[in-house]
Amino acid sequence: MATVDLNDVRKVYSGNVEAVKGVSIAIPDKALCVLVGPSGCGKSTLLRMIAGLETITSGTISIDGKVVNAIGPTERDIAMVFQNYALYPHMRVYDNMAYGLRNRGTPKDEIDRRVRATAKTLELEALLDRRPRELSGGQRQRVAMGRAIVRNPKVFLFDEPLSNLDAKLRGQMRVEIKALQRSLGVTSVYVTHDQLEAMTLADLLVVMNGGRVEQAGAPLDVYEKPATTFVASFIGAPPMNLLPLSGLGDGEAAGAPTGTAIIGFRPEDARFEREGAAGGADFVLPALVEGVEPVGAESFLYCAAGGASIIGRVPPRTEVRPGDRLHVHVGRDRLHHFDRDGRRIGT
């Protein structure tokens, strides 16, 4: 297999538009790296540069220790799975999967062996004689993945492959992609704007914003210790609550580290009590309930507190109603502190 290393990679378009601003990432062998961020953050441009479909302005990209800046896409030994499947509509599933191997001059019996073995892995054996129009969205995505797998590449690249599927099918396909990637042991880079997809799939999670890497690490490490307020607000559903220190009143933020300008806490770390409840050692602030949203296994409380809007998780059959006044309790060990530039303070 292969490692993928990006060193100070930049992309500048005409008009001095800098789409990628000095990105450095080391992706270990056999790891699934997910690039996540909002539209326009540079993640797809970065993926296309790894693929060789976009030229690099400066920096280096190495695959398996070899710099590939000047190497074309076909020589990089990568396989890409696209958002729109990119299947040939007039070809059978078998021929779509075999197409790349035929172009490379692979012997016919080897093509047949690989296609049928991959079809068995992806449960496509009964569909090999169908054409793409006769398949569901999930089946088409499996075919697109199968076409990549039969090539036995060093690296898989996924460009938002699930965005055209409905929510239920996306969840199913996430599980299948993760299991397949682990069983094949192929180093993979996966682009998505969906933070749930990113959290569930990634071995290495890379959060991008404005062409830069905001934070990279294991998904739970990024979730539990966001490096910036951007990461705190982007990773998590609902996102972290962020409150300006100036809106919290005297004494409410006692013990905050020097330089703190913003205090944050996750919705699941908040406990809501009726007005007048004792605070004890908790961080406590009054809140006005503005909305209650039942979502099945839990409900979300939308409140005004500390000069900001906050969200809390509560049991599904809560008796809290809009207009109620409550106290929000958060253990001080569950608070996150950020400076005025939005950067994390402390561990």
Side-chain angles (χ1 to χ4, degrees):
M1 296 302 114
T3 57
V4 178
D5 295 287
L6 286 69
N7 183 27
D8 197 24
V9 172
R10 299 177 184 271
K11 177 64 181 181
V12 181
Y13 291 105
S14 60
N16 204 31
V17 177
E18 196 172 14
V20 176
K21 306 173 181 178
V23 168
S24 296
I25 308 169
I27 304 172
D29 182 30
K30 300 182 182 179
L32 199 167
C33 171
V34 178
L35 308 178
V36 65
S39 297
C41 72
K43 57 188 185 297
S44 290
T45 301
L46 198 61
L47 190 77
R48 288 175 62 82
M49 288 194 287
I50 296 171
L53 301 174
E54 195 81 57
T55 58
I56 301 169
T57 303
S58 64
T60 60
I61 294 177
S62 301
I63 296 176
D64 205 15
K66 180 181 180 180
V67 175
V68 296
N69 291 29
I71 296 176
T74 56
E75 287 77 43
R76 294 192 182 192
D77 200 7
I78 55 95
M80 196 160 182
V81 180
F82 296 93
Q83 176 181 343
N84 63 357
Y85 318 132
L87 301 178
Y88 294 105
H90 63 287
M91 290 185 182
R92 300 177 305 151
V93 167
Y94 183 102
D95 297 316
N96 266 284
M97 292 173 64
Y99 185 79
L101 295 178
R102 286 174 179 157
N103 278 355
R104 291 175 171 227
T106 306
K108 187 175 180 180
D109 58 344
E110 175 66 9
I111 292 175
D112 190 67
R113 185 190 67 78
R114 287 200 203 179
V115 169
R116 294 192 183 280
T118 301
K120 183 177 182 180
T121 299
L122 295 172
E123 299 181 358
L124 293 171
E125 291 172 291
L127 307 177
L128 289 174
D129 288 326
R130 295 190 189 181
R131 284 169 173 73
R133 66 177 178 274
E134 300 172 305
L135 306 177
S136 68
Q139 289 168 338
R140 291 179 193 177
Q141 193 55 267
R142 283 194 184 92
V143 175
M145 290 169 58
R147 183 179 54 193
I149 292 167
V150 294
R151 291 178 52 189
N152 193 26
K154 288 183 178 179
V155 180
F156 284 145
L157 304 179
F158 295 88
D159 187 11
E160 304 210 40
L162 307 185
S163 60
N164 288 335
L165 305 180
D166 61 44
K168 181 179 179 181
L169 194 51
R170 280 202 306 272
Q172 177 185 332
M173 288 298 296
R174 281 199 304 268
V175 174
E176 292 182 9
I177 287 174
K178 184 67 173 180
L180 183 64
Q181 192 271 339
R182 281 181 172 169
S183 67
L184 295 173
V186 179
T187 308
S188 302
V189 186
Y190 188 109
V191 161
T192 182
H193 64 274
D194 185 329
Q195 59 90 22
L196 176 60
E197 230 172 79
M199 287 289 294
T200 54
L201 284 172
D203 299 314
L204 173 63
L205 180 63
V206 179
V207 184
M208 295 189 65
N209 181 35
R212 294 187 173 89
V213 173
E214 290 269 336
Q215 187 172 0
L220 285 179
D221 290 343
V222 173
Y223 181 83
E224 292 173 351
K225 293 184 178 181
T228 65
T229 51
F230 174 83
V231 176
S233 61
F234 191 82
I235 298 297
M240 181 179 287
N241 297 302
L242 298 170
L243 308 174
L245 195 64
S246 59
L248 298 181
D250 294 338
E252 290 291 3
T258 302
T260 298
I262 299 169
I263 287 179
F265 59 89
R266 292 287 182 191
E268 61 269 26
D269 291 329
R271 188 177 78 256
F272 292 82
E273 304 287 355
R274 291 292 176 181
E275 193 169 18
D282 291 342
F283 166 77
V284 184
L285 71 159
L288 173 64
V289 179
E290 296 181 326
V292 181
E293 184 179 58
V295 292
E298 59 190 353
S299 289
F300 297 147
L301 295 188
Y302 294 84
C303 306
S309 295
I310 68 168
I311 304 174
R313 296 178 186 267
V314 296
R317 296 187 179 276
T318 180
E319 296 181 358
V320 174
R321 296 292 179 266
D324 287 355
R325 294 186 178 275
L326 306 174
H327 276 175
V328 183
H329 293 242
V330 183
R332 293 189 183 275
D333 62 339
R334 304 306 299 166
L335 294 177
H336 304 257
H337 303 92
F338 302 91
D339 64 21
R340 66 179 61 204
D341 294 322
R343 300 194 175 279
R344 185 179 188 84
I345 296 174
T347 57

